[in-house]
Amino acid sequence: GAVVSQHPSWVICKSGTSVKIECRSLDFQATTMFWYRQFPKQSLMLMATSNEGSKATYEQGVEKDKFLINHASLTLSTLTVTSAHPEDSSFYICSARSQGADEKLFFGSGTQLSVL
Amino acid sequence: LAKTTQPISMDSYEGQEVNITCSHNNIATNDYITWYQQFPSQGPRFIIQGYKTKVTNEVASLFIPADRKSSTLSLPRVSLSDTAVYYCLVAYSGTGGFKTIFGAGTRLFVKA
């Protein structure tokens, strides 16, 4: 199946710093990618839809200035958590939509962010 | 956007067949149904996808009745390693855009 690579797998940072997470579709082009957030023992919560070459669409309650999304190419989307605080600590997951006759959604392996 | 409802948890024993049903009463004409498996601290893994009737692959079967208001994921002969959370997703694919909202998922516990 298609592969979506997410990097880093985990990151620890100090409060006030910014963290960038990368999401790459390795063997297909993805005009649309999605970013999710997941707390322990809870389901995935959609944060935003990342569209190649245009501004991301954020879900209600998600601060666009806090979570910066860039989708500069058909294979790469990045999520930057700006001025991170301990409450931003969470598991972040990206997904990419493959296109064509057999359209599917594939997920990255996730990034565990811990803000001290 | 179709909302999905699944049982919160299920228990099974190794070697048994497990069926997990998902309700999606307001599924739209163009919506596909997809099932994912997620282990702790990992991203969801694609299991199977279908639109109607029955779909089978090497790991699972997906049964979708004619009205498409529900779907059942069937896992044949589960093993301990199948202990995970299973999500059903209903997603629209077309000119109106593509968005997926996860339900609560079903926690499957497979016992020896």
Side-chain angles (χ1 to χ4, degrees):
Chain A
V3 178
V4 175
S5 174
Q6 187 173 341
H7 179 81
S9 299
W10 57 270
V11 58
I12 302 172
C13 69
K14 292 182 179 180
S15 185
T17 61
S18 295
V19 174
K20 180 185 283 189
I21 302 170
E22 292 188 348
C23 181
R24 294 181 184 272
S25 54
L26 297 185
D27 51 1
F28 65 98
Q29 294 183 330
T31 55
T32 307
M33 292 185 175
F34 303 88
W35 288 95
Y36 302 82
R37 185 173 182 177
Q38 186 175 35
F39 292 106
K41 299 212 181 284
Q42 293 188 21
S43 183
L44 286 77
M45 182 188 77
L46 179 65
M47 297 175 66
T49 301
S50 170
N51 301 297
E52 188 269 335
S54 64
K55 291 183 178 180
T57 304
Y58 291 81
E59 295 300 303
Q60 190 173 8
V62 178
E63 300 175 58
K64 59 181 66 176
D65 295 330
K66 174 76 170 174
F67 300 99
L68 300 179
I69 291 172
N70 184 279
H71 193 157
S73 77
L74 288 172
T75 59
L76 174 64
S77 176
T78 61
L79 168 68
T80 301
V81 183
T82 62
S83 186
H85 290 283
E87 57 266 30
D88 298 324
S89 298
S90 186
F91 191 58
Y92 292 87
I93 307 170
C94 72
S95 68
R97 171 189 173 197
S98 69
Q99 294 178 295
D102 192 22
E103 197 170 288
K104 293 186 176 69
L105 198 63
F106 295 96
F107 288 81
S109 55
T111 298
Q112 181 64 53
L113 171 63
S114 297
V115 184
L116 304 178
Chain B
L1 203 63
K3 178 183 175 182
T4 60
T5 304
Q6 305 171 231
I8 295 175
S9 66
M10 295 181 68
D11 289 347
S12 182
Y13 288 93
E14 282 189 293
Q16 289 187 332
E17 177 184 81
V18 170
N19 296 308
I20 306 174
T21 297
C22 179
S23 171
H24 28 79
N25 290 320
N26 58 339
I27 189 171
T29 302
N30 292 330
D31 288 346
Y32 283 82
I33 301 158
T34 313
W35 284 80
Y36 292 88
Q37 175 193 56
Q38 187 183 29
F39 297 111
S41 299
Q42 294 185 28
R45 182 178 74 96
F46 174 90
I47 301 174
I48 196 166
Q49 177 172 291
Y51 182 78
K52 61 180 178 181
T53 63
K54 177 184 175 182
V55 179
T56 298
N57 62 22
E58 62 276 8
V59 298
S61 294
L62 178 60
F63 299 91
I64 305 169
D67 65 5
R68 305 199 328 121
K69 293 182 182 297
S70 67
S71 60
T72 299
L73 172 72
S74 181
L75 304 173
R77 301 182 60 79
V78 294
S79 63
L80 296 176
S81 62
D82 292 319
T83 293
V85 179
Y86 292 82
Y87 294 97
C88 90
L89 224 62
V90 174
Y92 168 78
S93 176
T95 56
F98 188 93
K99 182 177 283 191
T100 61
I101 303 293
F102 277 83
T106 298
R107 292 183 178 273
L108 173 66
F109 296 95
V110 180
K111 306 172 186 177

